[in-house]
Amino acid sequence: MKYQSFNEEIIRLIGGKDNIQAVVHCMTRLRFTLKDRSKAKTEELKALDGVIDVVSNNVAYQVIIGTHVSEVHAELISMLGIAPNSNEETEVNEKKNPLKAAMDLLSETMTPVIEPIIASGLLAGFLSLFSITGLISADSPTYQLLDSIRSAVFFFLPILIAMSCAKRLKASPYLAVALAATLVSSSINDVAGLSIFGIQLPQMVYANSFIPIILAVWFMGQLTVLLKKYVPKFLQYFLNPLLIMVICLPVTLLIFGPIGIWIGDGIGWFFEVLHNTFGSWIVVMLYAALQPFLIMLGAGNFMMPLALNFVNKMGYDPIFLAAATISDLAVSGAMLGYFLRAKDSKQKQLFGTVSFSALMGVTEPAIYGVFIKYRRPFVAVMIGGGIGGLFAGLMNVKTYSIVWGLMGLPSYADNQDFSNLVFMIISVVVGFVTAAIAAYILGIPQEEKEGQKKESLNENDQAKLATLKKVPLASVVEGKIVPLSEIKDQAFSTGALGKGLGIIPSDNRIVAPVSGEVSAVFPTKHAIGIKTEQGVEVLIHIGIDTVELDGKYFDTIVSQGDSVKQGQLLSTVDFAEIQTKGYDPTVIVVITNTMDYLDVVPVARENVVADDECLTVIL
């Protein structure tokens, strides 16, 4: 544990484990409910390295840590052996577009399942290579035993999918697995002539499938919620599991099984029509060119269910897995191009490291560490990946196993299809080399050139340049300005969390004071963090002790990771109701990394309206 010794000291100074009744966390502080506050050694806690301040009031005993408090809290409750307060840890339920919600579910479900799928796919590739070279005979016991890993992973895929998606769909993972195991059992899977309640069932193959079990687990989650609502609590432990299984199995066999298979067949039919009409090369080319964008958008795993469907129906994937491998190698090539072009040793180290990572099939470091910052590598990958994907599509390259990356290349020779392997190798080399050349020609991104220009200035010039730079912050809400020293919260009034000011609001709209990225949105919606391109970290704390309201009266419309513009609406707050409940509505704005700058200067005026400058950060 990163904070184990720190937490041990906190526990000791606060009176020991037995003195702690509960502990939750706010945006910056641990909030303890103590059995006896007199046992806490407050002054020693304040002096503890890592503690900013300690505030004890009628709300809670609060130990102010900083914005990394969530990490400290996670380890602390583990050491204490107590559960986090549900009010503080409740997730915000957002309404999503149904299609986006379905895509998110598929992506999140496939992520933990990828591990055994990759293992089985790579194993299949190496077994194919060993068989071709004569190292192991396909009829030998060794080959058969190792191949059973591959066949078992895909045969029992519904069980893996059920375990992965159950909690997301509010179902019991164990009941979901039991249902999936029932579907792939020898008494149901691919058995003809079955009937239930006198209704004839179609002959269905559930092994290797994934859509029927996802639909079934979704229904199980809905049924679970319904039964908890209407079945008496003293009967739920015994009765609910029985009702869930007895109801879910026939519904799955009668409805979700056929629907899932039809959806799978429909996907296959769509791409078959596309292939016969235009050629699958279009899809292969586009996916190989655009995969980095999909990864950046969090949709990198959306192709996995489609690839699985192809392998189940056709015995190979004609599109996605080959395109993914070509794209990964194009990313590696683009980073190699920048490695060869860069002169700065730190840049060379960065580009070389992420190039090797992408070569091994892990492209996230390159995409998030380089692509987003410099942008031009996207163009290089689109060129290299697109050309490599075009060649693979035109040559009808097939992926016989669920695997991608260099380690999976042997699987392309499965079924003695050596020409398929050769075409795939050519596609990968074309994508890699073309992306490297394109990146080298595109040159060093402008951001780096500007950085080198700044480095060429002498120290005096750099100091003068720094004194001329500032970041102005507009008001987050209309109202009356209050000096930070007058805020009725010691953590803020002492400046422990950084310099800033308070605003007594006269409007219900909270807007962004600067442009930047939303670095944090607390689950109870009372605090929002924004980080600017210059690195300024802004904390907007709405009201004092309003964490206790658990999000009530707050309508926050941004999420962590969102990009916002200055003046953009962040949240709507019913301040009248907050005051009615006895809470101070003052909105506090502080720069949490104040020490990184020359100064943070509040504006010298009494009232502010929208777009008025209220703070200035001197860089």
Side-chain angles (χ1 to χ4, degrees):
M1 290 186 179
K2 184 178 178 181
Y3 300 102
Q4 182 173 355
S5 59
F6 178 58
N7 279 326
E8 285 174 348
E9 283 298 297
I10 289 179
I11 293 171
R12 181 180 68 83
L13 294 173
I14 214 161
K17 290 184 179 181
D18 294 338
N19 194 38
I20 300 172
Q21 187 172 336
V23 57
V24 295
H25 71 90
C26 184
M27 196 74 172
T28 57
R29 65 196 79 184
L30 296 169
R31 304 167 70 91
F32 289 91
T33 302
L34 301 180
K35 296 177 182 177
D36 185 356
R37 290 197 188 187
S38 64
K39 292 182 178 180
K41 300 176 181 179
T42 302
E43 294 305 317
E44 291 184 41
L45 262 175
K46 288 182 179 181
L48 182 64
D49 187 24
V51 172
I52 297 173
D53 202 356
V54 177
V55 177
S56 180
N57 56 30
N58 57 2
V59 176
Y61 190 89
Q62 305 170 58
V63 180
I64 303 166
I65 304 295
T67 53
H68 61 293
V69 68
S70 60
E71 300 174 29
V72 177
H73 176 263
E75 293 187 10
L76 178 61
I77 61 172
S78 176
M79 294 169 66
L80 293 172
I82 59 177
N85 185 294
S86 59
N87 289 336
E88 300 288 330
E89 301 292 331
T90 301
E91 296 181 357
V92 179
N93 294 320
E94 299 178 353
K95 292 183 179 179
K96 292 184 177 180
N97 177 284
L99 179 60
K100 184 181 185 302
M103 294 301 293
D104 288 346
L105 173 64
L106 284 176
S107 179
E108 293 169 4
T109 297
M110 295 311 303
T111 298
V113 178
I114 285 177
E115 191 174 9
I117 287 177
I118 288 179
S120 62
L122 288 175
L123 181 59
F126 282 113
L127 286 176
S128 177
L129 180 64
F130 295 155
S131 175
I132 291 171
T133 56
L135 293 175
I136 300 178
S137 170
D139 297 323
S140 69
T142 300
Y143 185 101
Q144 297 295 330
L145 283 173
L146 292 175
D147 189 55
S148 65
I149 297 175
R150 175 199 59 80
S151 58
V153 166
F154 289 104
F155 184 88
F156 295 109
L157 181 63
I159 295 178
L160 299 176
I161 295 292
M163 175 61 76
S164 179
C165 72
K167 287 186 178 180
R168 292 178 178 85
L169 295 174
K170 303 178 182 179
S172 163
Y174 301 100
L175 292 179
V177 165
L179 178 62
T182 304
L183 294 176
V184 299
S185 65
S186 58
S187 58
I188 291 179
N189 184 59
D190 199 22
V191 174
L194 293 177
S195 65
I196 188 167
F197 305 129
I199 303 173
Q200 197 70 25
L201 296 173
Q203 182 177 353
M204 308 290 297
V205 178
Y206 290 97
N208 305 312
S209 66
F210 65 95
I211 297 178
I213 191 61
I214 290 179
L215 295 174
V217 174
W218 169 82
F219 176 74
M220 179 181 286
Q222 301 300 309
L223 181 61
T224 300
V225 173
L226 192 67
L227 291 176
K228 284 182 178 179
K229 184 177 181 180
Y230 291 105
V231 175
K233 287 187 177 181
F234 70 93
L235 292 175
Q236 287 184 7
Y237 182 79
F238 302 98
L239 193 57
N240 282 16
L242 174 63
L243 290 174
I244 287 170
M245 292 300 293
V246 170
I247 294 173
C248 284
L249 179 61
V251 170
T252 301
L253 295 175
L254 288 167
I255 301 175
F256 296 124
I259 289 177
I261 302 301
W262 294 337
I263 292 174
D265 290 342
I267 294 172
W269 173 84
F270 171 76
F271 283 102
E272 183 179 350
V273 171
L274 186 66
H275 179 273
N276 295 334
T277 306
F278 302 102
S280 60
W281 59 269
I282 293 178
V283 186
V284 179
M285 178 183 69
L286 289 175
Y287 191 86
L290 300 177
Q291 181 178 246
F293 289 101
L294 295 173
I295 292 174
M296 186 177 66
L297 295 172
N301 291 331
F302 104 96
M303 62 88 178
M304 184 60 69
L306 302 178
L308 280 170
N309 186 71
F310 277 131
V311 173
N312 290 337
K313 299 295 180 183
M314 303 168 59
Y316 62 87
D317 170 27
I319 297 175
F320 295 104
L321 295 172
T325 297
I326 295 167
S327 180
D328 288 351
L329 270 292
V331 169
S332 178
M335 292 298 91
L336 177 63
Y338 282 117
F339 171 81
L340 297 174
R341 185 67 182 259
K343 297 179 181 179
D344 180 75
S345 59
K346 290 184 178 179
Q347 292 288 344
K348 274 189 172 293
Q349 183 178 1
L350 170 64
F351 294 143
T353 301
V354 297
S355 176
F356 180 77
S357 174
L359 189 68
M360 295 295 101
V362 183
T363 57
E364 283 79 3
I367 292 170
Y368 293 110
V370 178
F371 280 44
I372 292 178
K373 180 178 180 181
Y374 295 125
R375 299 181 182 86
R376 293 185 189 179
F378 280 115
V379 179
V381 172
M382 289 178 68
I383 295 171
I387 294 175
L390 174 62
F391 181 82
L394 292 174
M395 295 298 106
N396 294 316
V397 171
K398 304 176 180 66
T399 311
Y400 292 106
S401 298
I402 304 295
V403 66
W404 62 94
L406 285 180
M407 299 294 287
L409 287 180
S411 66
Y412 287 84
D414 203 4
N415 300 325
Q416 306 294 312
D417 194 351
F418 295 106
S419 61
N420 188 64
L421 174 61
V422 172
F423 289 142
M424 183 58 187
I425 292 174
I426 294 174
S427 302
V428 165
V429 172
V430 167
F432 180 87
V433 173
T434 305
I437 294 172
Y440 189 88
I441 293 174
L442 286 170
I444 298 174
Q446 187 64 32
E447 290 87 344
E448 184 183 341
K449 289 182 179 178
E450 292 175 355
Q452 291 176 349
K453 183 177 180 181
K454 291 175 184 175
E455 290 174 4
S456 68
L457 297 174
N458 59 46
E459 291 183 4
N460 290 332
D461 289 339
Q462 289 188 41
K464 290 178 182 178
L465 185 62
T467 60
L468 297 175
K469 286 192 173 183
K470 64 179 183 178
V471 177
L473 275 71
S475 176
V476 298
V477 66
E478 294 184 8
K480 180 181 178 181
I481 290 180
V482 180
L484 206 61
S485 60
E486 297 180 12
I487 299 297
K488 298 175 183 178
D489 187 314
Q490 191 175 343
F492 291 106
S493 63
T494 59
L497 293 175
K499 292 185 177 182
L501 50 70
I503 303 174
I504 300 175
S506 58
D507 186 27
N508 288 341
R509 300 172 72 255
I510 304 295
V511 299
V514 288
S515 297
E517 180 181 321
V518 178
S519 56
V521 177
F522 201 70
T524 50
K525 307 179 184 180
H526 75 291
I528 300 171
I530 298 176
K531 187 173 183 179
T532 72
E533 290 184 359
Q534 297 89 345
V536 179
E537 297 176 2
V538 185
L539 172 62
I540 305 167
H541 197 281
I542 307 169
I544 297 174
D545 289 327
T546 47
V547 63
E548 304 294 331
L549 294 172
D550 195 26
K552 196 173 182 181
Y553 312 122
F554 293 83
D555 183 15
T556 302
I557 61 173
V558 293
S559 303
Q560 184 174 341
D562 288 353
S563 295
V564 294
K565 297 292 184 183
Q566 187 178 43
Q568 180 177 330
L569 182 65
L570 303 177
S571 180
T572 303
V573 185
D574 192 339
F575 286 110
E577 286 295 330
I578 286 177
Q579 287 182 283
T580 300
K581 297 298 181 182
Y583 292 91
D584 187 331
T586 303
V587 179
I588 306 160
V589 182
V590 294
I591 308 303
T592 56
N593 59 341
T594 293
M595 298 303 293
D596 294 343
Y597 304 106
L598 293 179
D599 203 357
V600 176
V601 183
V603 70
R605 64 164 59 99
E606 185 175 348
N607 296 290
V608 286
V609 296
D611 297 329
D612 277 354
E613 185 175 326
C614 67
L615 282 175
T616 301
V617 179
I618 309 298
L619 303 181

